[in-house]
Structure formats: structure tokens, C-alpha cells
Amino acid sequence: MRRNVVLFVAISLLSGFGSTAMSLVAGIWMLELTGSSSRAALTGLCVYAPVLAGPWLGGLLDRMPRRPLLIATNLVLAASLSSLLTVRTPAGSWLLYAVSLTYGISYVLLDAGESALLPVALPAGALGEVNGWRSSAQEGMKLVAPLAGAGLYAWHGGAAVAILSAALPVVVAVLYAALRLTATPATSTKVPSGLRAGLAVLAGHPLLRVTVTLAAVSIAMSGFAAAAQYEVVTVGLGLPATFLGLLLSAQGAGSVVGGLIVGRLITRAGVTVVGVAGTALFAASLAARCLPWWPALLVGGVIGGIGLPWTLVAAVTAVQTHTPPELLGRVAATANTLMFGPIAVATPLGAAAVHLGARPVLLAGAAFCLVAAAAVARRSRLGQPAEATESMGR
């Protein structure tokens, strides 16, 4: 078990570093090539758009051997990144979009694929803790990778970042091959396809339904409050925009710490309790950012950094432990679509609503989170592990 744990955490570290660094540099590179901020922003859209196709991409994981597919995805990603070595003029900038789209597709396949692979590589009781460690590793890379990627780009240009980012998926593919699986991951060619199959599982199991909903609400409200956070910092408090970097670091530090302890909380209290607690903490973090005092923003960042990953880890762990093995790929991908898809709508809504004032937007986001947490808490016996509660109710 220890070997697999180390391998999964190493995969999260390497994947998180490479993807975070390249995602940032792709936008900078496009801006430098074309001089267009709009075209630079579209590289980010290419990364996140494939999440909407998650249920269908996840279906591949239920029809093909999962580990070979994960290995192949990393090798294709490495080859795609290598193509960026040919980008030297604006005429070749389209390759940045193609690579960003490849990254987005790989995110969906690798996230869902790891969720499907973990239950056959680790004991069920270890899933929550390992998911927490993986979350800490990924969030930790978000603190290091942007600075490293930007620095390498400034030193030797985009080609140097592309070479580094292309090498990392090859190493990750080797780590996947080194995993020791306790059982052959279930695959089938007869399971139903598309969105309906994943939704049926998620909607039909109370534990999956509530944890995925809590994560979706929290993640959506993080996007809804994004513009308000900029407004509070630069207009409300009159601080330089660079303060946002400090705020992001505070949130990242909270995520690292929260990831290290969330597994133990899931073991003791269950995923529903952790999901409710995470959503409530994120609501508190949004409310803290309404205070006219910059240290409150940092405290709110740390609290939010703990709460938001808790909701995600709780939902992912629930999916891994309560989904039929032959459907785990598409259910995990569908859950990712439901959790991250709403942010595409919530973010522009928040950007429009901020014209009414930053603090009303932050308080509205906090209220949505609290209502969701309270509704779930009211229906659950929070004094018992959620898994036991759900099994008694079925």
C-alpha cells in the first residue's frame, strides 16, 4: 500500500507542477506573440471547456483498460507539448490553443481515471486520506509552479517551459505503470453511454447526491465571488493588485494544511460531515472578505483554502467508494462536470453583479453556501458517520 500511496502523491506533484506552469505560460506566450489579451484569455477557455464533455470522455474509461488509457493519455500529452517547439511566430500561435485543448481533455480523463484506479490500488479505508494528500500536493504546486514557469519563460522562453512540461507526463506514465493493483479495474462494453448513466448513479445514491451538490455549490460560489474579491482589494481597501498574489498564497497554504487532515476527518465523521463543514468554512471565508481590514482577507483566504478542497475531497471519496466499479469512470467524470461546470456560468454572473457592490456579492455567495450546508445538515444525522447513516436509510 505504501508504495502505491507514494506513487499517487508523486503523480499529483508532477502533474500539478507541469499543468499549472504550462497553463500560465500559454497565456503569456500567446499575449507576447499576438499582443491580444482576448486571445491570451482564450487559452484558459480551451483548458476548461472539455469538462463539459466529461460524461462522454469518462465513458472511455469504462470501455477500455484504465491504466493503459492513463499511460497513453500522458504520452499523447507529452507529444502535443513537444509540438510547441515549432512556435516562433504569430502564425504558429494556433498550436497553443491545440495544446491547451489537449490539456483540458487530459484533465478530464486523468482525474476520472485516477478516481477509478484508486479503489483497486488502495484499501477503501485509505481513500479519504490519500485523496487529501493528493489535494495538498496539487495545491502546493499551485504555489510553486506559476513562479517557476514564469521565471523559466523569462529566462529561456516558451520552448524551455514546453520541454519541461513535456518531460513530466512521460515520468507520470512510468509511475502509472509502476502501480501495483490488487484487482483488475472493471471495464465493460455493455454499460449505457452518455450523460444519463452517470447522472442516474449520482442522483440515485443520497450520499453521492449531497456531497457532489455541496462541492458544486462551493466551487460555483468561488467563481461568483472572484470579481468581488478584486473589487474589495483594489477599490474597497485601496491595495495594489499585487496583494492578490499574497491572498492566493494564503488560500494555497490553507489548502495544503486542509488536505493533510481531511482524510482523518472523513474516517472519523464521514464524507457528509466533511462536505458540510467545508461548505460552511467557505461561506465564512467569503464573509470575512467583507470586513474592511486586510488581515481579515488573509484569514478568509486560509479558511477558504481549507473549506473548498474539503468539499471536493469528500465528493470524490464518496464517488470512489459508492459507485459500481464498471461505471466508475463515467460517474467520476460526470461528477467533475457537475462540480466544475457551473463555475462557467457563475463567474460572469458575479462579474456583472459586482457593479451593485462587492460586499453584497460576497454575502450572497456566503448565503448560498450556508443554505446548502444547512439543508444537508438538517437531513443528516451528523453525530454518526455519514456512510452508516445513509446505509440505514436505504
Side-chain angles (χ1 to χ4, degrees):
M1 169 185 163
R2 183 175 299 176
R3 171 195 174 95
N4 283 350
V5 170
V6 171
L7 288 173
F8 274 117
V9 173
I11 287 168
S12 295
L13 284 169
L14 295 175
S15 298
F17 183 92
S19 61
T20 302
M22 194 63 230
S23 295
L24 172 68
V25 166
I28 298 173
W29 200 348
M30 179 65 76
L31 180 61
E32 189 173 85
L33 284 171
T34 66
S36 170
S37 297
S38 298
R39 292 191 64 179
L42 286 176
T43 60
L45 177 62
C46 289
V47 171
Y48 290 106
V51 74
L52 299 176
W56 292 272
L57 291 173
L60 293 174
L61 292 160
D62 293 331
R63 287 181 160 81
M64 299 176 64
R66 288 166 182 164
R67 177 159 56 177
L69 182 58
L70 294 180
I71 292 172
T73 299
N74 276 283
L75 296 179
V76 169
L77 179 59
S80 174
L81 285 161
S82 299
S83 71
L84 294 179
L85 297 177
T86 65
V87 177
R88 294 184 177 86
T89 66
S93 62
W94 67 271
L95 278 171
L96 289 167
Y97 291 133
V99 170
S100 296
L101 187 63
T102 303
Y103 250 126
I105 294 171
S106 73
Y107 284 156
V108 176
L109 289 173
L110 295 175
D111 282 351
E114 281 195 30
S115 290
L117 206 59
L118 276 161
V120 294
L122 300 170
L127 290 175
E129 192 161 17
V130 175
N131 284 329
W133 292 343
R134 291 170 62 231
S135 175
S136 289
Q138 291 163 357
E139 294 300 324
M141 287 302 97
K142 290 179 182 178
L143 299 178
V144 177
L147 181 60
L152 184 58
Y153 180 86
W155 184 29
H156 277 299
V161 183
I163 291 172
L164 175 61
S165 297
L168 294 177
V170 175
V171 178
V172 169
V174 173
L175 297 181
Y176 276 127
L179 288 169
R180 293 174 178 170
L181 305 184
T182 57
T184 302
T187 58
S188 174
T189 59
K190 297 182 179 180
V191 293
S193 60
L195 181 64
R196 186 175 300 175
L199 285 177
V201 175
L202 292 171
H205 195 297
L207 196 63
L208 304 185
R209 188 168 61 243
V210 297
T211 53
V212 170
T213 298
L214 287 172
V217 170
S218 300
I219 293 170
M221 290 305 102
S222 72
F224 183 72
Q229 181 170 281
Y230 286 112
E231 187 81 1
V232 166
V233 170
T234 59
V235 179
L237 297 178
L239 296 170
T242 51
F243 182 83
L244 290 163
L246 185 59
L247 189 57
L248 183 61
S249 295
Q251 184 169 331
S255 296
V256 171
V257 173
L260 293 175
I261 62 177
V262 67
R264 295 180 182 179
L265 291 177
I266 287 175
T267 300
R268 294 179 180 179
V271 290
T272 303
V273 175
V274 171
V276 168
T279 304
L281 284 173
F282 189 68
S285 78
L286 294 178
R289 295 172 203 186
C290 295
L291 300 176
W293 191 39
W294 68 262
L297 266 68
L298 295 181
V299 172
V302 173
I303 294 173
I306 294 172
L308 198 59
W310 278 12
T311 65
L312 182 59
V313 171
V316 169
T317 303
V319 168
Q320 291 168 348
T321 53
H322 294 277
T323 299
E326 68 276 8
L327 288 172
L328 191 47
R330 77 188 60 237
V331 172
T334 302
N336 283 342
T337 298
L338 294 176
M339 290 187 289
F340 291 99
I343 198 172
V345 176
T347 300
L349 285 177
V354 79
H355 294 293
L356 303 175
R359 288 179 174 83
V361 172
L362 290 168
L363 290 174
F368 271 106
C369 289
L370 285 177
V371 168
V376 173
R378 187 176 304 159
R379 297 175 184 178
S380 303
R381 305 174 195 177
L382 295 182
Q384 302 179 37
E387 290 82 0
T389 302
E390 295 296 345
S391 63
M392 286 187 295
R394 287 176 67 84

